[in-house]
Amino acid sequence: MTTRTTRRRVMLLVVLGCLMLQALTAAACGALPFGVGKQPRPLPPARAAFVAEDGQVSVLPLAGGTPQRVSDVATYLPQEAAPGRQEPSAHWPAWSPDGARLAFVRMLMGSTDTLIMAQLWTVLPDGSDPRKVWEADDQEPIYFAWAPNSRQIAMLVQREDDLDLVLLDTGGSEPTRRIGRGNPFYYVWSADSTALLVHVGSTGQSGTSKPELGIIRLGRAGSEPDSYRTLGVIPSEFRTPGWSADGRTVAFVAPGPDGAPAVSVVSPEGGDVTRLAATSSFTALALAGDGTRLAWSKRSEQDRIAYDGLEVVTTDGRTRTQVTADLVVAFAWSPDGQRLAFAALDPGNRGLAWYVADAAGANARRLGPFSPSLEQIRLLAFFDQYATSHGLWAPDSSALVYAVGIPGEQRLFGGPSAGAVQMLVVDGGAQARTLTAGNFVALPVPAP
């Protein structure tokens, strides 16, 4: 991810770009098969964790019920949060892949938007058994992701102009340790939780680190050191790499022999790089869990908040399918790998619309329009990173769950007031159903 200041600029550009789109629209109209040889893991319970209008985290089963507030850990505040100070707010809830625990950040900010205290907590789905995993008064959390084993968390924290990647043991048996540093910084866990594939730096003007793609192998604190190995490629402009569930394929964007950037795959052990598709500008990609297909798109030159269409290519390079030629802002594979959801600009409804295609990228169909809340815009703006940690799909791949602005408001996007959490079933003609009020929502991302 990028630093807090850079993310604010991205968010401002997104909102301004969409407002410009609204004005223009008004004027114009007036590897191995996944899971072979292994018993499938049980799916985590279908529960949504969301941030309500009061800035606290609650949990709600997708089947319905009463929201349960889970971030009430006021009795565990440090001395700095004395009476009279602002109440800490909770952010970015994320489920462990098995759905057994929920992690969230709590931050106490001063009157001048300065950090007083930051913490990372985990709780059971009903809010019981609160455990403070991490705390600091000089580091601001930027992003975190559970390991597939549901026992560790890798978290990016901002320290001045750099980002540190720290490893947290949620059971408390090992101390916190720094395993990486850079800016910008993106990463994805290996399926066996023993390593992280990291993309550090940028070939553009932003950032403080030279561009590099490598693998951090985790040791054991006090007995075996962590190690780092570069993949020997200089990345082009993209964000989050992909790593297949069988561990045999990593996906990225890097220059080819002619110097032009290309969507590429290679074994994490090295060897020949397979170049799948040429690209010409900033590129986003999403590797299907089984590693056989990759969705990608390049940044639009006409509209910098969107991407020019969407394509699915098999990682052997034999088949390419254009999913859509429309401007797309985000896309994500379903947990079972059988569907690809994407959000496209929807000028007629002054917002966005959800679509879904099959695994090959064919038979795309429109599900319905939506106007995301400001927090949902954050997820969409960095969708390739959040897809690995904060689920958009229901665990059984049956529905999309997301946050919108207040229903009925005639605005392009929802403001900072109360939004709504909606669920949209992908099969059939059902309309989106409002589950509860909320501005940010995340579902479990099942472990491969």
Side-chain angles (χ1 to χ4, degrees):
M1 300 291 282
T2 55
T3 61
R4 184 184 184 194
T5 300
T6 302
R7 284 186 289 110
R8 283 177 172 169
R9 290 172 181 166
V10 169
M11 292 292 289
L12 180 59
L13 287 172
V14 169
V15 174
L16 289 176
C18 291
L19 289 174
M20 290 174 64
L21 171 69
Q22 179 182 1
L24 290 172
T25 301
C29 299
L32 284 178
F34 198 38
V36 166
K38 296 182 180 180
Q39 292 295 324
R41 296 177 185 264
L43 292 177
R47 291 184 289 234
F50 63 94
V51 179
E53 183 182 7
D54 61 3
Q56 300 301 320
V57 174
S58 293
V59 169
L60 178 68
L62 295 188
T66 302
Q68 172 72 49
R69 183 165 163 170
V70 300
S71 59
D72 280 330
V73 289
T75 56
Y76 300 89
L77 292 176
Q79 185 63 37
E80 288 85 349
R85 290 191 183 273
Q86 180 181 347
E87 178 73 11
S89 56
H91 305 269
W92 316 315
W95 292 99
S96 59
D98 61 9
R101 295 191 72 84
L102 180 68
F104 56 88
V105 168
R106 297 178 78 233
M107 288 196 293
L108 181 64
M109 307 300 292
S111 58
T112 58
D113 200 27
T114 56
L115 179 69
I116 296 176
M117 172 270 304
Q119 300 172 332
L120 183 74
W121 288 81
T122 73
V123 295
L124 292 176
D126 63 358
S128 63
D129 190 27
R131 301 177 187 175
K132 185 170 66 175
V133 178
W134 174 90
E135 179 176 286
D137 60 7
D138 60 346
Q139 302 171 60
E140 182 176 343
I142 297 298
Y143 168 80
F144 69 91
W146 286 85
N149 63 17
S150 297
R151 295 194 295 271
Q152 298 163 296
I153 291 175
M155 183 168 69
L156 285 172
V157 296
Q158 183 173 345
R159 186 192 294 271
E160 296 180 347
D161 292 332
D162 263 330
L163 299 175
D164 286 349
L165 181 65
V166 296
L167 184 67
L168 310 175
D169 175 21
T170 62
S173 61
E174 292 190 0
T176 297
R177 66 182 190 268
R178 189 184 75 192
I179 58 175
R181 171 174 285 182
N183 179 28
F185 201 121
Y186 299 91
Y187 65 91
V188 61
W189 280 95
S190 65
D192 63 4
S193 304
T194 64
L196 296 102
L197 173 64
V198 300
H199 173 210
V200 180
S202 171
T203 56
Q205 296 181 351
S206 62
T208 60
S209 304
K210 65 177 183 178
E212 193 166 71
L213 194 69
I215 294 176
I216 300 172
R217 294 284 177 186
L218 301 178
R220 294 184 62 84
S223 60
E224 180 184 348
D226 304 317
S227 64
Y228 175 79
R229 178 175 57 84
T230 178
L231 291 184
V233 297
I234 298 176
S236 299
E237 285 296 285
F238 82 109
R239 288 187 302 232
T240 308
W243 200 345
S244 62
D246 62 10
R248 299 181 181 180
T249 304
V250 298
F252 53 93
V253 182
D258 60 357
V263 178
S264 307
V265 294
V266 74
S267 165
E269 304 305 321
D272 293 336
V273 174
T274 300
R275 293 173 177 86
L276 304 176
T279 183
S280 58
S281 61
F282 181 92
T283 302
L285 57 88
L287 183 67
D290 64 3
T292 63
R293 298 174 306 280
L294 185 146
W296 72 279
S297 187
K298 61 183 177 68
R299 182 71 52 78
S300 170
E301 295 296 334
Q302 287 73 38
D303 193 325
R304 303 298 293 175
I305 68 168
Y307 298 83
D308 277 331
L310 180 61
E311 184 173 303
V312 169
V313 57
T314 56
T315 51
D316 59 10
R318 295 178 180 177
T319 304
R320 293 176 61 172
T321 303
Q322 185 181 54
V323 183
T324 181
D326 294 339
L327 291 174
V328 170
V329 297
F331 46 92
W333 291 102
S334 61
D336 64 7
Q338 299 305 304
R339 293 181 174 95
L340 177 67
F342 60 97
L345 294 178
D346 190 30
N349 286 284
R350 300 165 56 200
L352 305 176
W354 287 117
Y355 293 77
V356 66
D358 61 26
N363 302 311
R365 56 189 173 86
R366 188 177 188 271
L367 299 180
F370 73 107
S371 295
S373 67
L374 287 178
E375 287 293 344
Q376 188 69 48
I377 293 174
R378 172 188 169 88
L379 268 71
L380 295 176
F382 294 95
F383 68 93
D384 44 352
Q385 181 70 90
Y386 279 101
T388 68
S389 54
H390 296 71
L392 169 71
W393 283 90
D396 65 358
S397 303
S398 65
L400 302 173
V401 181
Y402 50 93
V404 299
I406 299 174
E409 286 196 352
Q410 297 301 311
R411 293 186 293 173
L412 184 63
F413 291 117
S417 56
V421 175
Q422 291 190 339
M423 181 171 72
L424 181 60
V425 176
V426 297
D427 287 328
Q431 292 186 338
R433 178 164 63 93
T434 297
L435 302 178
T436 186
N439 299 300
F440 179 104
V441 60
L443 276 70
V445 178

